[in-house]
Each structure stands twice: as structure tokens, then as C-alpha cells.
Amino acid sequence: MKEKVLKMSAVIIFILIVGLGGYYAYKKNTSKNALASTKYSLLKATKTNLDITVEATGSVTGVSEVNVFSANTGTVDGMTAKLGAVVNKGDLFCKIDDSTTKQAVENAQISLQHSYLELQSLKNQLDDLVVTAPISGKVRAVYAGVGDEISSIKSTYGGMAMITVGTDNSYETAVPFPSSGKVSEVCVSTGQNVNKGDVLFRLDAKTLNNSIAQKENDIKLAQKNLSDKQTDLAKSTISTPISGIVTVLNVKDGEIVTNEKLMATITDTSKMKVTLAVDELDINQVKTGQTATIKLDDVKDKTFKGSVESISQSGTTTNNVTTYSVVVTIDNPENVKIGMNANVTIAVESKANVLTVPVEAITEKNGKKYVMVSEETKKSTSSNRKASNNAKPGKLVEVKTGLKNKTLIEITSGVTENQTVMTELTQSTSTSTKSNKSKSSQQGGMQGGGMSGGAPPGM
């Protein structure tokens, strides 16, 4: 029995040894095959101009626009503008048939004329403030005194004074009363000889002068009222305020408009802009004044220049994606039309003649950056980028980096120009490369050659 147990134990141990050996051999073979099947992109670190840009799309609009309103309420007449038409500053846009404003002008003219007549009447009364001798002779009696109201003494006396003529003073003439007033000065006395036209009395002019001053002020107000009404009537003819394109047209002939209704919008086409929606990941790179390159879908074989004019400080979120509005002006927008689609590239930063490698060549570990440098000494062929699944082992080299765009990153230290760096290709890239090789073979050969060597190192 004991001997049987020992035999069974020996068999079990043998099976375990064989099983473990087979498993180890399988894992080793699998690891080698995996390493052997891994493909790498081999390329040189080269010097080039590195440009950092932000790309976005938008549509073309005018930089400035003017809304057209009517100053008067009336009926649109003689409309010459059409939607989308080109118009020039000062052209007739339309007329407003405004009978109400016309009547207001006529009424203002009549009111002003009436004020002129009233003023003249008041000035004529100034002549009544000075009472003169109607004839030459001798003053027999003076009836009016300083402070007397003409209306009070008029019914008592036959005149303000009596003048006699002739050697025997047999002929007598009364000095007539003015229509009204108050005596402020007596310039003659009884027994005095006077000549025809001499000033005998003066009346107080204060009240009359106040009335004249008030009427002159009324005339100024009436003149302004007439001017305003004439200005309003002139606005019944509406001229195009700026040169450009009619982008909004809300009225037509025969339609009644008020001063609150937007009639039209004229957009200035001499200056154009593109409004972009820039992703929140890129917006902090965009600054006002940065230059931009603009390509329009409808203007072939031409690139326009421009600059960033403004950046919105509030974003718009749609489907969890936030964008910010950025306005880029277009320099010399010849043949550019409102509404055209534009592809804009904003130049953020640029460095000339810097050492670069592909972004995917960088590996980060413990806060440091590395690239895998190939240790092959064989000179490369004319093609810089190559794919190989037999690349010789490389080594990780720590590097310092600078500027980076979507494809290239600047190397400031750790790698020198023309050193070959290795980038592991994804499975889809390897499959694509294999497919391309097959096609090239069928077409007569592939441009450039592959790299041969041992299995790549583990990271």
C-alpha cells in the first residue's frame, strides 16, 4: 500500500512539473510574439516652424448697420429700396405722405404772422406815449399832471392842455388825449409859447414795453415751432443713411407707418466680420488683436486676412458643450457677401526653427516627460517616418518641452536634431499600415523601406 501511494505521488509531481513547464514555455512564446507583433513609428527629431492656432467656423456679417425709421406717421410712397439690393448713402429710400404734418406747418406759419402783426400794433402805441403840440401858440391852461391816468381825466377836461393863437388869442385849440396811459412827465407850463410838434407830455412806457418784450418772445417761440414743423415735414422724404445692402425690409408702398415701426436695416458692406463659436478649451488662448486667416466656401482660391476684434465674456452651452462668441474682422472684403460660411484660423503663438517631435511620442511618468530613442545606428532612408515590428530596442530619455500644437511638440532639451524617436502605433494604425503595404506591393512597390532588427523594449 505504501509503495502504491509513493507511485501515485511521483506521477502527480511529474504531471505538475510538465504542466508548469508547458505553461512557462507558452507564456514566454506568447510574450515574444506580442513584442514581435508590436509596431513602432520611427522618425527623426527635426527643426521646423511651430505654429499654435485656434480653428473655428462662422458666417459673415456686416460690422455696422443702421435701422431706418420714419419720423412721421403717414403712408409709404415712392419706395425705391428692395430687400438684398445695394444702396448708396443719400439715395431716395421712400417718401411719407403726411397730411397732418403739412397742416401743422401751415398753422405754425399763420400763428407766426399773427404775432408779427400784434407786435407792430404794440410798437405803434409807443407814438402815443409822447403828446406833442398840434399847433404853434401860447399855452393857456395845463390840465394833466404827473401821475394822472388818462382814463380818469379824459371825461373831465376837453384836452390835456389848451393852446391859443392869434394876436388877441381869440383862437383856441385843445391838446387831444391819447387812448390810454399814465402821465409820467409834464414838459410845458401855462403861458409858455410852443411850436407845433413840441413835446408837451410823456406817458409811462413800462407797461407797454413789457407787452412788447413778451410779444417778441412769443415770436421767437413761434419761429422755432415753425422750424420744427418744417423739419418734420422734410423728414417725410427719407434718404438712405449709409451705403450698403438692405438686409431687412418691413414696409411697402401704401402701408401706414409710425415713428415706432422699424422700416428697414441697411448693413455696411465695406467692413465685414465673422462671428465664431470658439470651444471653451481654446478660448483662453484667444486675445484681441491676434491675426487670423479666413477661407470662404464660396470664394475659391483666395485667403483673406483679419484680426480678432472682440471676445464674449459669457458662453453658450449646447449639449454640454460650451462655446464663446469671437468676432474677427476681414481686411479688404472684396467679393465677400453677407451670410457666407467661413473657416477661420487664429494665430495664437509661433516659434521659428525649433526642434520638434510628434505629440504622441511623449510619455509622462511621475511628473516627468520621456521619449523612446532608437539605438539603431543605421542611417535612415529618404522617408522620415517608418513603421516596423522588428525595431531594435530603444531607451527612454527624459526631455523638456515647450510649445505644443495638435500634432507637434517642442523639445528644449534631452534630444538632439536627427535623433530617431519611436512611437508605438495603435492596432488600427498597424492594420492600416499593413493594408497600405499590401496595396503598394500590388502597385509595384512601396516608397521608402522598413526597419529591421530585434524586438522593441518594454516600457
Side-chain angles (χ1 to χ4, degrees):
M1 183 68 180
K2 184 177 180 181
E3 186 176 328
K4 187 176 181 180
V5 170
L6 291 174
K7 287 182 179 181
M8 289 182 65
S9 299
V11 170
I12 292 171
I13 292 171
F14 175 75
I15 293 172
L16 288 174
I17 292 172
V18 172
L20 288 174
Y23 177 75
Y24 174 76
Y26 169 78
K27 289 294 291 181
K28 184 176 181 180
N29 184 59
T30 302
S31 176
K32 288 182 178 181
N33 288 338
L35 288 173
S37 63
T38 302
K39 289 192 176 183
Y40 288 83
S41 172
L42 306 178
L43 52 90
K44 294 179 180 179
T46 57
K47 287 188 176 181
T48 185
N49 297 333
L50 186 60
D51 298 318
I52 311 299
T53 61
V54 170
E55 297 179 353
T57 60
S59 59
V60 176
T61 59
V63 169
S64 62
E65 60 184 25
V66 176
N67 293 327
V68 179
F69 292 88
S70 172
N72 310 321
T73 297
T75 304
V76 178
D77 183 34
M79 172 69 72
T80 61
K82 294 181 180 180
L83 184 63
V86 176
V87 293
N88 296 312
K89 182 178 180 179
D91 287 350
L92 174 66
F93 187 79
C94 72
K95 293 183 178 181
I96 304 297
D97 184 7
D98 188 0
S99 57
T100 302
T101 305
K102 288 180 181 178
Q103 186 61 51
V105 170
E106 292 178 5
N107 292 341
Q109 290 173 329
I110 293 172
S111 177
L112 179 61
Q113 188 62 35
H114 183 68
S115 295
Y116 278 131
L117 294 174
E118 288 181 336
L119 177 62
Q120 187 58 48
S121 176
L122 289 172
K123 288 183 176 180
N124 289 340
Q125 292 180 33
L126 288 174
D127 295 338
D128 294 339
L129 296 179
V130 177
V131 180
T132 61
I135 59 173
S136 297
K138 187 176 182 177
V139 178
R140 184 182 66 79
V142 177
Y143 302 119
V146 175
D148 288 343
E149 291 285 349
I150 297 301
S151 59
S152 298
I153 63 176
K154 194 173 186 178
S155 60
T156 304
Y157 303 102
M160 296 187 72
M162 298 299 292
I163 299 176
T164 59
V165 295
T167 55
D168 56 355
N169 295 321
S170 58
Y171 181 73
E172 190 174 70
T173 299
V175 177
F177 289 102
S179 59
S180 62
K182 183 178 181 179
V183 178
S184 62
E185 183 181 359
V186 178
C187 304
V188 69
S189 59
T190 302
Q192 180 180 340
N193 291 321
V194 294
N195 295 318
K196 181 180 179 179
D198 285 351
V199 176
L200 305 181
F201 303 92
R202 297 182 188 277
L203 302 181
D204 186 3
K206 181 178 180 180
T207 300
L208 185 57
N209 284 335
N210 287 342
S211 298
I212 290 173
Q214 181 61 48
K215 186 55 61 178
E216 289 175 338
N217 187 62
D218 291 345
I219 287 175
K220 289 180 180 179
L221 293 176
Q223 288 173 331
K224 184 179 185 306
N225 181 56
L226 176 59
S227 177
D228 290 343
K229 294 293 188 273
Q230 289 173 331
T231 299
D232 289 343
L233 185 60
K235 291 178 181 178
S236 294
T237 298
I238 301 177
S239 298
T240 304
I242 61 172
S243 296
I245 291 178
V246 181
T247 50
V248 175
L249 186 62
N250 294 329
V251 295
K252 58 185 178 181
D253 279 347
E255 186 174 342
I256 296 176
V257 296
T258 66
N259 57 5
E260 296 179 350
K261 181 178 178 63
L262 174 64
M263 299 179 65
T265 299
I266 312 297
T267 301
D268 182 4
T269 54
S270 64
K271 297 179 181 179
M272 309 285 265
K273 66 182 180 181
V274 181
T275 302
L276 307 172
V278 177
D279 191 277
E280 62 181 328
L281 299 177
D282 297 324
I283 193 63
N284 285 332
Q285 297 183 79
V286 180
K287 310 294 181 186
T288 56
Q290 288 174 337
T291 59
T293 301
I294 303 155
K295 293 184 178 181
L296 304 174
D297 294 344
D298 295 330
V299 181
K300 305 298 182 182
D301 302 324
K302 186 171 183 179
T303 299
F304 297 87
K305 297 296 183 181
S307 60
V308 177
E309 181 184 70
S310 63
I311 304 168
S312 174
Q313 296 303 307
S314 60
T316 301
T317 302
T318 304
N319 297 328
N320 294 324
V321 176
T322 301
T323 59
Y324 291 80
S325 178
V326 174
V327 175
V328 173
T329 56
I330 305 175
D331 299 338
N332 303 317
E334 184 180 1
N335 297 325
V336 178
K337 292 179 173 57
I338 292 173
M340 285 184 170
N341 294 321
N343 299 297
V344 180
T345 301
I346 300 172
V348 174
E349 191 174 354
S350 180
K351 277 190 176 182
N353 198 33
V354 294
L355 187 65
T356 63
V357 298
V359 171
E360 60 268 22
I362 300 294
T363 299
E364 293 193 33
K365 187 176 181 180
N366 298 327
K368 295 182 179 181
K369 296 178 181 180
Y370 301 87
V371 296
M372 182 183 290
V373 176
S374 173
E375 295 183 317
E376 292 182 341
T377 58
K378 177 182 176 181
K379 292 183 178 179
S380 72
T381 58
S382 59
S383 177
N384 185 30
R385 180 182 290 271
K386 310 176 194 314
S388 175
N389 59 355
N390 278 319
K392 290 184 178 181
K395 65 177 180 179
L396 286 180
V397 176
E398 183 181 352
V399 294
K400 302 294 183 182
T401 61
L403 285 185
K404 181 181 75 170
N405 61 22
K406 293 181 179 180
T407 58
L408 297 176
I409 186 168
E410 177 188 7
I411 301 297
T412 58
S413 67
V415 172
T416 60
E417 187 178 6
N418 291 326
Q419 273 192 286
T420 301
V421 297
M422 304 173 66
T423 303
E424 183 177 345
L425 300 175
T426 63
Q427 185 63 35
S428 60
T429 304
S430 301
T431 303
S432 175
T433 303
K434 183 176 182 180
S435 175
N436 289 337
K437 285 183 178 181
S438 176
K439 291 180 181 179
S440 298
S441 298
Q442 292 173 8
Q443 295 172 2
M446 178 181 68
Q447 294 296 323
M451 295 291 292
S452 61
M459 297 294 289

